[in-house]
Amino acid sequence: MSQESILANRVGGTVAVIIGLGAISEAVRLYPLSPSPLAGDHTMIGFTGLGLLVIGLFFILSSQTPRFKVDYPSGKLRYLILAVVGALFMYRYLIPVLGYLISTFITLFILLKIMGQFHWLHSLLGGAIFTFVVYLIFVLWLGYSFPAGIIGI
Amino acid sequence: MESLDFLLAGFAQAVTPVNLLMVALGALIGTLVGVLPGLGPTSAIAILLPLTGVLPPTQAIIMLAGIYYGAMYGGSTTSILLNIPGEVSSVPTCLDGYPLAQQGRGGPALGVAAIGSFVAGSLSVVGLVFFAPVLAEQALKFGPPEYLALMVMSLTMVVNLAGNSIIKALFMGLLGFLLSMVGLGPSTGVPRLDFGSSTLWGGLELISIIIGLFAITEVIKGIEEKRVAISPRQIGNVYPSSADLRQSSKAMLRGGVLGFFMGLLPGCSPAVTTFLAYDLEKKIAKNPERFGRGAIEGVAAPEAANNSTSSAGFIPLLTLGIPASPPLAILLGGLMIYGLTPGPILFQQNPDFVWTVIASMFIGNLMLLVLNLPLVGLWANVTRIPYGIMGPVILMLSVIGAYSVRNSLFDVSVAIVFGVLGYFFHKHHWPVVPLVLCFILGPLFEQSLIQSMAMSGGNPLILLERPISAAILILSLALLALSIKLKRRTKKRVIQEVGEAVDIAKCTG
């Protein structure tokens, strides 16, 4: 097995141990509130935490896991993926400020430009058409309610 | 006979114009997403589930069921015309479908696939009509310990959905359980795992997690793989000749029956049955050397098995609440969102709903056949839509879907975060379906556990003291062993055909 793969499993194992310990401590916090030792809000959390702890330790201590190599994208492709994820987060935080429709138009323009590499005019047009269709279907027809933002649309 | 009366009443409901429209829409959308490389039944149902929120439950589930079996059929189009199996279950269809397409007989191959899917799908729905009520009647005797045992049986599914590492699947399953427990505790009402934030008191929304893990992750994967539009070759006449039909009719029946009975076993996915059906045909063929070079039976049998297993999967889903495949796990979540907990009670309390959905499946299978044969050319052209348009549109619909369930931007954040996490899970081969399955089953499992422990005064042996729960546990063990054996066999066959290990549990998007 590649060293890289073993390291990834150990990182995963460490995360599992941390989550498991967190769950067990939450079970301990809830235990006094429960009506009986094995029947309460703490029961499942406790068992789940214990399971995660055991599996985490297994990953940290064992090298008997399937062998494979992980290749992450590099160069432009990496930036493209980061830009798309960044655009999604930007979209989420733009919605309450600019409202759903304007944010959708801006984000779709950016996504079409970077993912499709279309001419900016085509991307603008695509963003406008999609936003209009979304407005027709979801707002006018289906009656969905989206944040209006500070501009009020 | 009671079943037939209910079924007739279901048909009366299913043929109303609105319900027929939902069946047709579901079948068409399903086929469309099945055809599009990079989208499959799981992500299609995930994206569209919240968007069906404006529909009454029956119409919404009818449409989602249509999407499910439509996408199953749509997958065969890309397998045959482009040699791209959208899912592992479509690999056997490629083996003879693509050589047929290369010989200019892609049309008849698609026609046989459509007819095989229809025949097997209809056979399975007949089975569903007779098997489901019997199972549901038995399940009425269930109390909390029996339900707990049933939940344990559902967890045997984790093995089947495990991908290449059972231990990783267990980790993901436990993570799913833990995520399902975020929010107010069921017995005390005290907030759990909330990190002091009241935003988490309402818990995490299933749809956001599903959209993140399936739709957003799928787009990120698409960017990485630099997916492009593909132009299929000439497909020829789509209507198979009478010789083709004669040659493939028995294969369809064999594939359909095998797929149905295997599909009854919780934990037996279409990936397993399609390979079994293909191998069976090859074994009993007079000239097995034709297989792999364009034998029409090599398309008919796996396609029939695929569709009948998919339909048979509704039996454990509706009667016991056990999903046999990733899309059915999402559908289970959909049923729960509509307040319809699958299980014996569903047949008792909502017979109109259950039987209308079952009747709509008959109609849906017929519609798939009627609509898809003439539209094969159109579906082939759909593969030409550039990914630079598809990807952004999927992302925008994902955000709408995540937001619309609770009108919450927090849910949108959850979807994006799980989209990114899903990408890392995919890179490191951590299977996400066990996480989703356990997230869905978590609350039921916890409720059954707490009630069983309360009944027995904290004695876990209550599970073995009651005959039904003990029998279910023994059956779970047997199914676990069978699942592991079938999984190993399928893995071996996939390696033989594809040349590398592929995640058997994977169902594209």
Side-chain angles (χ1 to χ4, degrees), chain B residues 92-100 102-103 278 282 287-299 497:
Chain B
T93 308
C94 288
L95 299 178
D96 281 283
Y98 189 61
L100 281 167
Q102 284 177 311
Q103 294 159 22
Y278 184 84
K282 200 171 168 181
N287 304 309
E289 64 279 358
R290 285 193 308 115
F291 281 75
R293 294 176 190 170
I296 199 91
E297 309 95 293
V299 173
E497 301 299 347

Side-chain angles (χ1 to χ4, degrees), chain A residues 84 88 108 111-112 115-116, chain B residues 39 47 215-216 218-220 222-223 227 385-398:
Chain A
V84 169
L88 282 179
L108 198 67
L111 289 175
L112 285 170
M115 282 177 74
Chain B
L39 262 186
I47 295 170
I216 297 179
E218 200 57 46
V219 174
I220 300 176
I223 299 169
R227 281 182 196 150
I385 296 177
Y387 199 73
I389 294 176
M390 282 297 307
V393 170
I394 293 171
L395 289 177
M396 293 290 107
L397 289 176
S398 299

Side-chain angles (χ1 to χ4, degrees), chain B residues 77-390:
Chain B
T77 307
T78 50
S79 305
I80 292 169
L81 297 181
L82 308 170
N83 204 24
I84 299 173
E87 302 138 31
V88 180
S89 60
S90 297
V91 171
T93 308
C94 288
L95 299 178
D96 281 283
Y98 189 61
L100 281 167
Q102 284 177 311
Q103 294 159 22
R105 298 188 65 222
L110 284 168
V112 165
I115 294 167
S117 297
F118 167 70
V119 171
S122 303
L123 274 178
S124 298
V125 181
V126 172
L128 180 63
V129 169
F130 291 103
F131 272 78
V134 176
L135 204 54
E137 207 174 295
Q138 290 306 312
L140 274 175
K141 298 167 188 162
F142 286 15
E146 285 74 22
Y147 271 108
L148 182 59
L150 206 56
M151 291 298 123
V152 172
M153 186 195 249
S154 304
L155 295 183
T156 58
M157 278 297 303
V158 168
V159 173
N160 204 45
L161 302 171
N164 294 325
S165 166
I166 290 174
I167 194 89
K168 282 185 174 177
L170 285 176
F171 167 73
M172 296 299 277
L174 288 172
L175 193 60
F177 270 142
L178 203 61
L179 291 171
S180 76
M181 285 181 264
V182 172
L184 302 178
S187 56
T188 61
V190 174
R192 301 183 296 182
L193 302 165
D194 63 336
F195 299 97
S197 162
S198 58
T199 313
L200 287 169
W201 289 3
L204 296 173
E205 177 53 49
L206 167 71
I207 294 295
S208 306
I209 293 176
I210 290 172
I211 283 179
L213 290 176
F214 291 97
I216 297 179
T217 299
E218 200 57 46
V219 174
I220 300 176
K221 279 158 60 183
I223 299 169
E224 187 182 357
E225 291 161 12
K226 296 179 185 164
R227 281 182 196 150
V228 289
I230 306 156
S231 300
R233 62 183 69 237
Q234 211 55 34
I235 55 172
N237 180 15
V238 295
Y239 297 98
S241 65
S242 54
D244 288 331
L245 287 176
R246 249 196 326 274
Q247 207 172 342
S248 56
S249 57
K250 284 182 184 163
M252 281 177 202
L253 284 175
R254 279 190 290 265
V257 172
L258 179 112
F260 174 75
F261 283 104
M262 296 297 287
L264 284 178
L265 302 173
C268 195
S269 70
V272 172
T273 57
T274 51
F275 272 101
L276 279 176
Y278 184 84
D279 290 348
L280 176 71
E281 285 309 311
K282 200 171 168 181
K283 199 163 259 177
I284 61 174
K286 281 180 189 156
N287 304 309
E289 64 279 358
R290 285 193 308 115
F291 281 75
R293 294 176 190 170
I296 199 91
E297 309 95 293
V299 173
E303 277 302 309
N306 195 359
N307 209 298
S308 60
T309 306
S310 307
S311 301
F314 276 89
I315 297 177
L317 178 76
L318 292 175
T319 55
L320 302 172
I322 299 176
S325 61
L328 286 179
I330 314 284
L331 213 55
L332 171 65
L335 287 164
M336 287 176 164
I337 286 168
Y338 286 107
L340 301 160
T341 304
I345 304 296
L346 186 67
F347 276 78
Q348 284 287 313
Q349 290 180 345
N350 297 288
D352 290 352
F353 164 79
V354 175
W355 290 100
T356 307
V357 170
I358 293 174
S360 78
M361 288 168 70
F362 272 111
I363 299 167
N365 273 305
L366 186 64
M367 276 197 185
L368 268 182
L369 183 70
V370 174
L371 292 176
N372 280 332
L373 279 182
L375 291 180
V376 157
L378 173 74
W379 299 134
N381 282 324
V382 162
T383 57
R384 294 192 172 122
I385 296 177
Y387 199 73
I389 294 176
M390 282 297 307

Side-chain angles (χ1 to χ4, degrees), chain A residues 26 41 71-72 92 100, chain B residues 187-188 192-193 413 427-428:
Chain A
E26 187 71 345
D41 289 349
D71 288 316
Y72 278 103
R92 181 255 175 267
Y100 179 75
Chain B
S187 56
T188 61
R192 301 183 296 182
L193 302 165
S413 304
K427 293 300 279 185
H428 290 276

